[in-house]
Structure formats: structure tokens, C-alpha cells
């Protein structure tokens, strides 16, 4: 994909500044963890979706005090109203980041909603908590750092405001409903509404909005893009970047089995049980004691600990029959229906979308990402599909899943900047 030299220089400058800023902060002490009571929702979080239920300052670990304020942004922690997978009111945590740098592009300052990649399922993994500590550690293996800072700072250093959702149940009561299409889409879109309603925010309700996400985040923004025309039509959504989106959950779960990220299947099962309680007894009847221990354990872990403890294991070790969980799902109609309901690609986004995917992705299958782009094209959406052809590197270790995120950032940043500038969105529908 060609990138105009001016935009390429802006991207390079932002990337270098991001790396320098992050490196300069490595020696900074972490701030105190967020007060747990902040995440306890009011008794009745009724009202308008996106309404702010609670807010407070968020002193980012990666920051530099200056005479003009905190660089690169002043954070505000949020608890906002949204809807869960069943359309019931819930409370979701998040963080709004007001840039200290001006927006020098055309029009009002844009807002980008960043949907995080896999964080884990323990409440301590919520991005609004992790952003306050450069590195958090709970012995023996719970070591985590908020890797989304790369994407966040890339936006802030261009003067673009950012809001980051924690998703349903991450930090707040209940299991995080990992990769649940509706819950994640609602959380992303309502985070935008919450940010736009903050009195001190420089973004406005009619200002331009972009969505950004990779992996779990790519699926979340894809689902949000589909739902936005009906769920949040008032938002001025001008562009979406979706990297390696798990649009077909069944295909993704089958591929991830036996890789470094086998344990995320436990996140998914816990999340299904949270969203659809009628599945809990069915699941329990199909797993053995080792499977029960795995589900209970990952429910309180961040992703690195899950990788350390359950990486490269296979789910047939967790079932009473010795079948992989994919085979178990195939013979449980209720479970199969719940997973099929997470399929993305059946609704047309009204905003243009850039979909990126690595051809050798060893976690989220390339074929289902391509299918998502094809399905959207067939519905009449404006879609640019971009591939990364890095050859296989240590298959199953997730290298080929992670590398396209970094390699694709220049194109993704330029794509959103072009949408904020009002340039026509490209489409290569029919060419892939």
C-alpha cells in the first residue's frame, strides 16, 4: 500500500517519539492501583447508554509533567453505562485521554476509541488499571504491562484524543465476556459516547470518530462498526481499523488449541457461561477436574500468566471424553448456537474499514479474516483488505500473530488520518 511521504514522516515522527517516551518512563515508579470501589457500579445503572456513572483522575504511569500540563495526556478514569450481551444495562470501565498536544489536522480534534487486544480475565488486567502502572506483578507469575500504550501514544502524539474501554466484566463484577460480539461492540461505542460527554474533554458529540483494534480488539471494533448504524447512529464514525479480527470464533478456537494461547479458550468458556448461564451445566458435564481447575484459574489471570501456565496444552486433556473442545461444541447444539452468534460479517458497516491480516497468522486464522472482508464487500461496505506475508516463524508461539500488528501500523495510522482529513476511502473489494 502506498503512503504519501508527508503522512509517512508524521507516522515515523510519532513512532520515534512514542518509543522515546516509553523508554524514558521505564524507571518511573508505578502509581497506586485504582481503588477497587470505583468499579462497583451504582445499584441501578439505568439511564442512557454511554452515560458516565463515575469518573476521576487517572495519573498515567507513562507521563512527563511540564509547565503546560501532563505530557502526552491527562487521563480520566470512567465508569459508564452500557449494555451486556443480552441487552441488559451494565457498567463498564474505561479511560479517556486528553492530549496535551494540539490537533493540527483539518476540522475539530478527532477521537479514536481503542479496543484492547487480549488482556486476560482477572479484574487486575483492566486497561484502566494497567495504565496506572508501567509493570504490575503479583507472585508467582502474574506479570503484565499495558502493551496498548504503543497504539495509544501514537494517537496522542498527533493530538488525537483517545478513549480505551475495559470491556464488560473486566475490572467490574462478573467474568469478562471475552470475545462476545454484542457486549464488546456496545462497550466500544458507549465509550465514545462517555468521552464525548465529559465537560473537560476537547472532543464534541459531532466530532470525527475512529475505531482501532487488533486481535480481540479487531473483533470488537468490527462488531462495533456493524452495530453503529443502528446502535449509535448519532456518532460521526469516519473510519475503522480492524487488525486480525476473530470474526469466526469457532475457527479461531480450533486453531488456537495447542498454541501458546490455548488458555484463552478458558476465557471464552468462562465468558460464554457469564453471558449465557444456561450453558454452565452443559459445560460442567463435559469437562474433567483438570478442566475445572483451568477454568477457575484463568478467570483470575492476565494473559502472560495464562500463557506461562497453559501454553501449548491441548483441550482434549480438559474434557471427560478426551475430545478437543471443538468436537465437544459440535455435538452440543446450545453451545454451538452461542458460538455461532458471535460471527461477524452479517451486517454492513456504514463507515469505511481497513482490515489487516497476516497470511500465516498462527492464532486467528487468515481465512476467516479474509471472509469477513469479502462478506462486508458483498453487503456494499467500503473495505480495504491488506495482507502481511511474513513467512512462518516458530508456529504456535504467536509470533506470526503479533508481528503484523507492528508492521501494519504505518498503513493503519495513515488510513485513519486520511479519513479525518476527509479524503475518499480506498476499496479493493473484488481484488482479494
Amino acid at each position: 500500500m502506498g503512503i504519501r511521504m508527508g503522512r509517512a514522516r508524521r507516522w515515523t515522527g510519532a513512532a520515534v517519539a512514542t518509543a522515546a517516551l516509553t523508554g524514558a518512563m521505564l524507571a518511573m515508579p508505578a502509581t497506586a492501583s485504582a481503588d477497587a470501589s470505583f468499579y462497583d457500579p451504582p445499584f441501578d445503572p439505568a439511564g442512557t447508554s454511554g452515560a458516565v456513572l463515575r469518573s476521576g483522575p487517572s495519573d498515567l504511569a507513562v507521563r512527563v509533567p511540564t509547565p503546560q500540563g501532563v505530557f502526552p495526556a491527562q487521563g480520566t478514569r470512567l465508569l459508564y453505562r452500557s449494555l451486556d450481551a443480552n441487552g441488559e444495562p451494565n457498567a463498564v470501565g474505561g479511560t479517556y485521554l486528553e492530549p496535551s498536544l494540539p490537533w493540527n489536522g483539518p476540522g475539530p480534534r478527532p477521537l479514536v476509541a481503542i479496543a484492547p487486544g487480549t488482556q486476560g480475565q482477572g479484574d487486575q488486567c483492566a486497561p484502566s488499571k494497567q495504565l496506572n502502572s508501567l509493570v504490575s506483578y503479583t507472585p508467582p507469575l502474574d506479570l503484565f504491562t499495558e502493551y496498548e500504550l504503543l497504539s495509544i501514544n501514537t494517537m496522542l502524539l498527533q493530538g488525537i484524543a483517545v478513549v480505551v474501554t475495559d470491556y464488560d466484566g473486566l475490572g467490574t463484577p462478573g467474568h469478562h465476556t471475552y470475545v462476545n460480539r454484542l457486549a464488546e461492540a456496545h462497550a466500544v461505542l458507549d465509550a465514545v459516547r462517555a468521552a464525548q460527554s465529559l465537560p473537560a474533554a476537547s472532543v464534541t458529540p459531532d466530532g470525527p470518530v475512529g475505531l482501532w483494534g487488533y486481535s480481540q480488539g479487531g473483533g470488537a471494533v468490527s462488531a462495533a462498526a456493524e452495530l453503529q448504524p443502528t446502535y449509535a447512529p448519532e456518532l460521526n464514525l469516519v473510519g475503522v481499523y480492524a487488525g486480525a479480527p476473530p470474526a469466526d470464533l469457532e475457527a479461531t478456537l480450533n486453531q488456537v488449541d495447542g498454541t501458546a494461547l490455548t488458555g484463552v479458550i478458558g476465557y471464552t468458556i468462562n465468558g460464554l457461561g457469564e453471558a449465557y448461564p444456561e450453558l454452565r451445566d452443559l459445560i460442567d458435564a463435559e469437562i474433567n477436574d483438570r478442566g475445572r481447575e483451568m477454568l477457575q484459574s484463568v478467570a483470575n489471570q492476565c494473559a502472560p500468566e495464562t500463557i506461562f501456565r497453559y501454553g501449548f496444552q491441548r483441550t482434549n486433556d480438559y474434557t471427560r471424553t478426551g475430545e478437543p473442545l471443538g468436537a465437544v461444541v459440535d455435538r452440543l447444539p446450545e453451545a454451538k448456537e452461542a458460538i455461532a452468534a458471535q460471527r461477524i460479517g452479517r451486517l454492513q458497516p456504514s463507515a469505511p474499514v481497513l482490515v489487516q491480516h497476516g497470511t500465516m497468522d498462527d492464532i486467528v486464522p487468515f481465512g476467516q479474516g479474509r471472509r469477513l472482508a469479502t462478506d462486508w464487500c458483498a453487503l456494499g461496505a467500503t473495505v480495504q483488505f491488506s495482507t502481511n506475508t511474513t513467512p512462518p516463524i516458530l508456529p504456535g508461539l504467536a509470533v506470526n500473530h503479533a508481528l503484523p500488528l507492528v508492521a501494519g501500523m504505518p498503513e493503519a495510522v495513515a488510513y485513519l488520518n486520511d479519513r479525518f482529513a476527509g479524503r475518499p476511502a480506498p476499496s479493493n473489494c473484488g481484488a482479494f
Side-chain angles (χ1 to χ4, degrees):
M1 303 294 167
I3 301 174
R4 292 189 181 94
M5 187 59 67
R7 297 199 303 281
R9 288 195 189 101
R10 288 198 298 273
W11 149 253
T12 302
V16 170
T18 297
L21 175 62
T22 303
M25 293 300 103
L26 287 176
M28 286 188 63
T31 58
S33 62
D35 182 1
S37 64
F38 181 89
Y39 297 87
D40 290 334
F43 178 73
D44 180 16
T48 305
S49 291
V52 176
L53 302 172
R54 190 173 293 144
S55 65
S58 179
D59 291 326
L60 304 185
V62 182
R63 69 191 188 280
V64 177
T66 73
Q68 290 74 38
V70 180
F71 178 83
Q74 176 59 56
T76 299
R77 187 178 299 114
L78 303 171
L79 190 70
Y80 60 92
R81 186 189 187 277
S82 190
L83 298 179
D84 66 13
N86 298 300
E88 295 297 322
N90 64 347
V92 178
T95 305
Y96 171 71
L97 298 163
E98 174 72 21
S100 57
L101 294 177
W103 165 246
N104 292 319
R109 189 194 297 274
L111 172 67
V112 169
I114 292 182
T118 298
Q119 307 284 293
Q121 201 158 44
D123 284 341
Q124 74 277 16
C125 317
S128 64
K129 298 182 180 182
Q130 291 295 328
L131 289 170
N132 298 145
S133 303
L134 193 62
V135 176
S136 63
Y137 175 61
T138 303
L141 296 173
D142 187 7
L143 178 69
F144 192 75
T145 185
E146 186 48 76
Y147 57 85
E148 291 292 355
L149 277 170
L150 178 61
S151 301
I152 291 169
N153 282 330
T154 297
M155 299 300 160
L156 295 176
L157 294 173
Q158 298 180 89
I160 297 172
V162 171
V163 65
V164 186
T165 181
D166 288 344
Y167 297 129
D168 174 37
L170 197 54
T172 51
H175 287 312
H176 167 40
T177 50
Y178 183 71
V179 294
N180 185 286
R181 178 177 68 92
L182 293 177
E184 291 187 341
H186 296 157
V188 170
L189 295 170
D190 288 328
V192 174
R193 287 167 161 164
Q196 291 178 336
S197 72
L198 290 173
S202 60
V203 295
T204 59
D206 59 350
V209 174
L211 306 182
W212 174 290
Y214 189 87
S215 193
Q216 179 189 0
V221 297
S222 295
E226 289 191 338
L227 263 63
Q228 181 268 330
T230 54
Y231 184 75
E234 80 282 4
L235 298 183
N236 182 17
L237 182 60
V238 299
V240 179
Y241 160 62
D248 183 338
L249 196 52
E250 186 172 358
T252 302
L253 294 178
N254 287 334
Q255 175 152 310
V256 81
D257 199 345
T259 70
L261 292 177
T262 298
V264 304
I265 296 175
Y267 299 162
T268 306
I269 294 172
N270 286 333
L272 287 171
E274 182 74 18
Y276 316 111
E278 64 274 14
L279 296 179
R280 292 174 185 168
D281 289 343
L282 289 174
I283 294 169
D284 189 68
E286 294 292 341
I287 59 176
N288 56 26
D289 288 343
R290 186 175 178 185
R292 293 185 186 93
E293 185 278 332
M294 181 271 292
L295 293 180
Q296 184 176 11
S297 182
V298 301
N300 298 300
Q301 293 175 356
C302 296
E305 181 174 5
T306 300
I307 292 171
F308 292 145
R309 289 189 181 276
Y310 298 103
F312 303 105
Q313 297 185 22
R314 291 197 171 272
T315 58
N316 59 286
D317 292 330
Y318 305 142
T319 63
R320 63 173 179 82
T321 61
E323 301 169 278
L325 279 169
V328 172
V329 167
D330 280 341
R331 58 179 175 77
L332 295 176
E334 298 92 338
K336 193 172 181 67
E337 181 182 356
I339 290 178
Q342 311 315 317
R343 175 70 181 273
I344 307 169
R346 298 181 175 126
L347 302 171
Q348 178 188 346
S350 59
V353 185
L354 168 65
V355 179
Q356 291 181 348
H357 214 131
T359 57
M360 296 297 169
D361 193 322
D362 50 351
I363 301 300
V364 180
F366 170 77
Q368 54 89 64
R370 183 180 182 275
R371 172 67 184 274
L372 171 64
T374 301
D375 287 346
W376 276 344
C377 286
L379 291 170
T382 301
V383 182
Q384 183 75 9
F385 183 63
S386 178
T387 60
N388 178 289
T389 57
T390 302
I393 302 172
L394 301 172
L397 197 61
V399 176
N400 282 86
H401 181 61
L403 282 180
L405 165 62
V406 179
M409 285 189 77
E411 181 192 21
V413 171
Y415 181 87
L416 284 187
N417 282 342
D418 278 349
R419 305 293 75 74
F420 295 143
R423 299 185 180 97
S427 175
N428 58 356
C429 286
F432 53 85

